[in-house]
Amino acid sequence: MHWAVSCSFLGRTVHSSTQIIPQTTDMPRHVAVIMDGNGRWARARGLPRVAGHKKGVDSVRSLVSDCGRKGIAHLTLFAFSSENWRRPPDEVSWLMALFVSLLEREVKSLHRNKVRLRVIGDLKAFEPKLQDLIHDAEALTSQNQGLNLTIAANYGGRWDLLQAMQAMLASKPHLALHPQHIGEADLSAFLTMADAPEPDLFIRTGGEQRISNFLLWHLAYTELYFTDTLWPDFDEAAFACALHSYRARERRFGRTSEQLRVES
Ligand code: IPE
Ligand code: IPE
Ligand code: MG
């Protein structure tokens, strides 16, 4: 059987790794990161946990520029999960204040560097000032052609699937009457990041080996990379190690190694 490597559906490019076999390249087109270990980094130095979040911003800056230089098209960073509200109120308020001050201070420089910034997650929960800053930053950078930087904030993979289901049924009510007609593309079109390829490489720093309700749908065939390095220590060399590991993977998407050898 012949499998298409890319296709379009009603004028939209289909990125689904289960509907088509994606073209793979040595450099990932989309990197998704769980930036974990800030609190432990700070505690190991006798500092308050929030000092780790502050230091982690340097790692974000470094990774954003590194991805830009390497021509990686999409970088998605998990900044605050839908479960992180369970943290002590002081830490949550501090994180929100950090988010506000970063948007106030960094957006101009992102714009100068042609970065297109987007924030995914249930933004209604944020204070109006933060929602406005997010909206303004997205509007300012929306036409940029450089790195697509997506920040996941108050994001949960289950929230994403639920909101997609609700939006799909609101826009196509007839599907509720004929659920057997619902196809993958009907739903995925309403997921956040529907216009981006699925992540090729997922990185989690901080030693834990779990997804923590990040991109549940999108990670179907993503290569997973876990490192003990804490996020504030994640520098260019650490990213190079992740890319090196990625290049050594054989991405079969359900096929056998023998098939891959014949096709190459
Ligand atoms: C990740 O670092 C940052 C956020 C979740 C906001 P943590 O704060 O989870 O750091 P650890 O895992 O406690 O070290
Ligand atoms: C995941 O880290 C969320 C972010 C990095 C934003 P957590 O530290 O919240 O994850 P768990 O609780 O260890 O799974
Ligand atoms: Mg953590």
Side-chain angles (χ1 to χ4, degrees), residues 34-36 78-81 84 87 204 210 212:
I34 297 188
M35 310 182 287
D36 197 22
F78 204 6
F80 192 87
S81 75
N84 283 146
R87 292 190 176 202
R204 181 171 186 147
R210 54 178 171 256
S212 298

Side-chain angles (χ1 to χ4, degrees), residues 179-190:
Q180 70 279 18
H181 293 156
I182 299 175
E184 194 189 292
D186 292 310
L187 186 64
S188 65
F190 291 95

Side-chain angles (χ1 to χ4, degrees), residues 88-113:
D90 280 1
E91 182 169 340
V92 171
S93 314
W94 206 94
L95 283 166
M96 293 302 142
L98 179 65
F99 205 6
V100 166
S101 85
L102 282 177
L103 285 165
E104 284 173 342
R105 283 188 285 123
E106 309 271 341
V107 169
K108 278 200 189 80
S109 138
L110 292 174
H111 187 45
R112 260 198 315 280
N113 288 297

Side-chain angles (χ1 to χ4, degrees), residues 9-86:
F9 175 71
L10 298 178
R12 286 183 56 243
T13 305
V14 174
H15 295 293
S16 166
S17 56
T18 46
Q19 300 296 298
I20 54 145
I21 298 171
Q23 220 139 26
T24 58
T25 45
D26 270 356
M27 190 60 81
R29 285 156 307 170
H30 187 171
V31 177
V33 186
I34 297 188
M35 310 182 287
D36 197 22
N38 293 349
R40 279 164 286 160
W41 182 93
R43 285 286 182 234
R45 286 160 181 78
L47 298 168
R49 291 177 49 83
V50 293
H53 298 317
K54 193 160 173 246
K55 186 72 172 65
V57 174
D58 293 342
S59 303
V60 172
R61 276 197 210 96
S62 150
L63 184 59
V64 167
S65 2
D66 204 12
C67 284
R69 274 191 303 276
K70 289 184 160 69
I72 291 169
H74 299 265
L75 174 64
T76 301
L77 302 175
F78 204 6
F80 192 87
S81 75
S82 43
E83 289 68 55
N84 283 146
W85 299 105
R86 297 168 179 169

